[in-house]
Amino acid sequence: MTDRKTELASNLARVEERIASACAAAGRERADVTLIVVTKTYPASDVRLLHELGVREVAENRDQDAAPKAAACADLDLTWHFVGQLQTNKVRSVASYADMVQSVDRDKLAGSLSTAAVRAGRELGCLIQVALDAESGERGERGGVAPDGIEELAASIAEAPGLRLDGLMTVAPLAGEYAGRQRAAFERLLEFSSRLRAAHPAANMVSAGMSADLEEAVAAGATHVRVGTAVLGVRPRLG
Ligand SMILES: *Cc1c(COP(=O)(O)O)cnc(C)c1O
């Protein structure tokens, strides 16, 4: 193995161990939690190595980086998640390679995604990004709809051609009542998820937890964790 592949393999093994212990501690099956590796800022060659190591779910947060990377890896059976704040002028590009958009946080974005998905002849899985620290009617600093906007947005995604409502996503807030309280934040997201599932039973994905707080997310009941740094290393710049 190359040095980089060895490094990625051992990082992956460590993350796998963390997820497995968190599942065991929570009395959950390991198979109920999916690892998504966030490859942002890292090259397509790393995505290839990760694929060789068994990774099938990858995530990106900027279309400029993601589009060429997805194209360079088009021969691989990968599921691409888009997890960044998304401007409507990037939607057409994102809809051409992303399988899932985890950062749907407003009606207008859902509408653009729907148009682009239909035009591309694709179905896009959508997660509603929830900003646990946002006030009613506002959006979070790092994107996301305020909790009281979930229901309405869910209804428009569920009705939109080309879109599939799959569940909820959050990033642990840095400010507000949940700052430093990841476990409480993720438990709150799980409450919103069970409310959502009452109206949309198939929307059962809960994406929460990153390198620093994946244990808290697994404990709270997340179905998907998004891990970048712990697998690929500290990013050279903020991404
Ligand atoms: C970068 C990023 C992650 C991964 O963060 P790490 O701390 O590197 O694990 C997860 N989710 C989103 C939305 C991100 O932008």
Side-chain angles (χ1 to χ4, degrees):
M1 281 203 274
T2 60
D3 287 354
R4 182 57 171 159
K5 190 171 178 183
T6 307
E7 183 185 2
L8 291 175
S10 91
N11 290 349
L12 262 181
R14 240 190 325 264
V15 167
E16 176 53 40
E17 221 175 270
R18 287 176 59 191
I19 297 172
S21 331
C23 285
R28 302 183 60 195
E29 298 287 337
R30 170 63 189 89
D32 293 342
V33 179
T34 301
L35 168 64
I36 301 170
V37 178
V38 184
T39 49
K40 65 188 182 195
T41 78
Y42 285 94
S45 55
D46 279 350
V47 178
R48 254 172 211 286
L49 292 173
L50 289 165
H51 183 271
E52 287 172 23
L53 294 166
V55 171
R56 293 295 178 266
E57 312 266 340
V58 293
E60 289 282 330
N61 73 334
R62 286 159 54 100
D63 177 61
Q64 305 89 292
D65 301 333
K69 224 183 280 185
C73 297
D75 58 312
L76 306 177
D77 57 328
L78 287 167
T79 297
W80 291 85
H81 298 255
F82 192 87
V83 299
Q85 293 189 51
L86 183 50
Q87 305 304 320
T88 47
N89 64 349
K90 304 284 189 202
V91 156
R92 195 167 171 181
S93 171
V94 169
S96 71
Y97 58 83
D99 300 290
M100 300 265 325
V101 177
Q102 298 205 3
S103 44
V104 183
D105 60 0
R106 58 202 191 278
D107 232 47
K108 184 173 174 224
L109 177 58
S112 304
L113 284 166
S114 169
T115 305
V118 168
R119 190 179 288 159
R122 307 186 71 223
E123 184 179 62
L124 278 182
C126 293
L127 300 187
I128 294 174
Q129 182 179 347
V130 180
L132 292 164
D133 56 343
E135 302 292 337
S136 177
E138 296 188 336
R139 281 203 292 145
E141 199 126 309
R142 294 185 288 172
V145 67
D148 69 352
I150 296 172
E151 196 178 329
E152 196 183 318
L153 184 53
S156 39
I157 295 170
E159 284 169 8
L163 304 186
R164 187 183 65 238
L165 177 65
D166 283 339
L168 301 180
M169 179 273 240
T170 203
V171 178
L174 296 172
E177 62 170 316
Y178 290 109
R181 301 172 57 224
Q182 286 91 336
R183 175 78 183 264
F186 297 147
E187 283 173 351
R188 191 84 181 113
L189 186 70
L190 264 290
E191 290 172 20
F192 294 129
S193 167
S194 77
R195 249 180 257 172
L196 176 73
R197 277 175 285 147
H200 306 277
N204 58 5
M205 278 180 64
V206 181
S207 173
M210 319 198 290
S211 293
D213 52 21
L214 71 87
E215 282 84 0
E216 285 83 356
V218 170
T223 62
H224 290 68
V225 294
R226 310 178 306 268
V227 179
T229 312
V231 172
L232 289 135
V234 176
R235 285 179 290 277
R237 60 187 160 87
L238 207 61

